[in-house]
Amino acid sequence: MDRNPEISIVVPVYNEESIVEELCSRLKKVCDGLNRSYEIVIVDDGSDDGSFEKLQRIKEGTMRLVQLTRNFGQQSAVLAGFRMSRGKIVVQLDSDLQNPPEEIPKLLAALTRDIDLVTTVHKKRHDELMRVLGSKLLCKFGQMLFGNAVKLNLSSFRVMRRSVIDKIETCRDRSRYMAVLMSWMGLPSVEIEVEHHVRKKGTTKYSFLTLFKLSWDLVTGYSNLPLRLVTYMGLFGALMGFLMMTFLLYQRMVNGILIEGFIVLSAVFAFFAGVQLLSVGFLGEYLGRVHSQVQGRPDYIVGKVME
Ligand code: UDP
Ligand code: MG
């Protein structure tokens, strides 16, 4: 095997037993057609369905297999693959063949001299309605958080130069959301249109709930919006309280009216108690992040590596 290949293909695999064979053969065919030296780095993200055993059986010269000790999540698996790869140019794609490997040459062609990163958009996305909706929401939400200075592209099918991965390493975030970090860096990049296929076998690992958690991660991981909201709510509450006190005092002193009322009181109380609890919750969320950042555990643990 070439120790310094020109191109590395990085693929995370999690419970894709039914598809790895087709994946490997199609990848190999496409790569052979490139007439450039290459390696295929497959990271098994703790599959428990026999994917790894199958991969071991079909592994050959140009493939490298990495097995994580358990399921660490797609982002960590991709990071592991990036680190294991040796190519000057790195291609990242999903293992489920929804990103057709046959599009790889198109992406490589778009990586011209002054471009560092090629991202993709789908002509038409073939996924279930809820999955597409979840993704759209996540993207809109992320874009709102980052503002217009960052052009967010969350697709996991992309080609980049080694320098991009070196830059990823300098981001010491706890949740290394690759697509977000790469968008955030504002590198010279192009976006091209690719086909998207139906997932023929296996199931998506992203339910609506998982996507919701991801967007929450996006909020607290990459923005101070909740903390700012808390400040605004606090300001609003304090202002309201002050105005009400002034009003009550005025009524009592000038007009001699004493306003009472359990309902008014409980409404006001519920509002402010809510604001306070929410604030404490937000603070706790960030504290949790700081805690996990201070611990500084690695993103994943590598079990086996097969060259
Ligand atoms: N994946 C992974 N670890 C996980 C979840 C997913 O490595 O914990 C891989 C999965 O095998 C696939 C890719 O990440 O190659 C994208 O997952 P999926 O196709 O389920 O997501 P979707 O297409 O719905 O975005
Ligand atoms: Mg998929």
Side-chain angles (χ1 to χ4, degrees):
M1 139 136 55
D2 194 338
R3 289 235 149 226
N4 291 304
E6 216 177 318
I7 297 167
S8 295
I9 315 274
V10 171
V11 196
V13 169
Y14 179 51
N15 290 349
E16 311 278 7
E17 188 188 10
S18 52
I19 219 157
V20 286
E21 227 155 333
E22 187 185 341
L23 170 77
C24 292
S25 70
R26 274 171 66 181
L27 268 180
K28 202 172 162 338
K29 196 161 161 229
V30 170
C31 290
D32 284 338
L34 291 174
N35 288 322
R36 295 160 86 170
S37 59
Y38 72 90
E39 62 170 4
I40 301 173
V41 181
I42 299 195
V43 183
D44 177 74
D45 188 16
S47 300
D48 49 22
D49 69 340
S51 296
F52 187 69
E53 290 68 27
K54 208 161 191 179
L55 282 166
Q56 272 179 307
R57 271 204 305 281
I58 53 183
K59 180 193 170 321
E60 39 92 352
T62 51
M63 272 171 67
R64 295 167 70 204
L65 271 183
V66 181
Q67 187 188 34
L68 305 187
T69 50
R70 64 167 171 83
N71 181 240
F72 282 93
Q74 185 184 353
Q75 305 304 318
S76 300
V78 169
L79 183 63
F82 283 168
R83 286 183 176 155
M84 283 287 172
S85 67
R86 300 176 181 134
K88 292 186 201 69
I89 293 171
V90 179
V91 181
Q92 177 199 342
L93 83 165
D94 286 353
S95 57
D96 57 5
L97 295 172
Q98 289 192 275
N99 309 138
E102 290 72 24
E103 298 273 42
I104 292 176
K106 209 159 101 187
L107 269 77
L108 287 170
L111 191 76
T112 46
R113 206 140 53 98
D114 44 354
I115 294 291
D116 283 347
L117 175 71
V118 179
T119 55
T120 58
V121 278
H122 300 127
K123 281 184 192 138
K124 182 174 178 352
R125 187 166 173 162
H126 296 276
D127 268 320
E128 280 166 30
L129 184 69
M130 282 310 264
R131 179 71 190 80
V132 179
L133 216 69
S135 265
K136 281 222 167 102
L137 275 177
L138 184 68
C139 199
K140 275 252 154 31
F141 190 55
Q143 192 64 65
M144 190 192 84
L145 284 179
F146 284 98
N148 288 335
V150 173
K151 166 97 183 64
L152 206 59
N153 178 309
L154 296 182
S155 163
S156 53
F157 190 19
R158 57 173 89 88
V159 168
M160 69 217 83
R161 296 191 187 280
R162 170 69 47 196
S163 62
V164 177
I165 293 168
D166 297 339
K167 286 178 187 123
I168 287 277
E169 293 288 2
T170 64
C171 302
R172 297 172 38 88
D173 300 52
R174 196 80 265 281
S175 59
R176 260 190 261 227
Y177 198 154
M178 295 301 157
V180 173
L181 289 179
M182 285 182 199
S183 305
W184 176 84
M185 289 195 280
L187 303 164
S189 60
V190 281
E191 199 173 72
I192 62 167
E193 262 195 358
V194 290
E195 296 286 343
H196 190 249
H197 291 176
V198 191
R199 200 186 229 280
K200 280 188 278 184
K201 290 169 190 150
T203 51
T204 173
K205 274 83 197 170
Y206 291 91
S207 64
F208 205 73
L209 189 69
T210 325
L211 286 172
F212 178 77
K213 283 188 195 147
L214 259 181
S215 36
W216 185 238
D217 214 40
L218 210 63
V219 177
T220 53
Y222 295 88
S223 92
N224 292 328
L225 183 72
L227 289 179
R228 218 173 306 141
L229 272 180
V230 166
T231 317
Y232 292 155
M233 281 191 295
L235 263 175
F236 176 73
L239 192 69
M240 291 284 286
F242 178 74
L243 288 177
M244 265 183 328
M245 294 276 269
T246 320
F247 176 70
L248 292 180
L249 263 173
Y250 178 80
Q251 291 290 47
R252 182 87 184 92
M253 311 271 277
V254 180
N255 299 333
I257 306 170
L258 181 65
I259 299 181
E260 278 175 310
F262 180 69
I263 307 274
V264 180
L265 215 72
S266 38
V268 172
F269 180 75
F271 176 70
F272 290 108
V275 169
Q276 281 185 23
L277 267 184
L278 201 68
S279 315
V280 174
F282 278 147
L283 287 177
E285 188 80 28
Y286 281 91
L287 201 64
R289 290 198 89 93
V290 172
H291 175 66
S292 115
Q293 184 93 40
V294 167
Q295 280 179 323
R297 291 207 197 131
D299 298 83
Y300 55 85
I301 300 291
V302 173
K304 268 186 226 157
V305 178
M306 301 179 63
E307 298 280 339

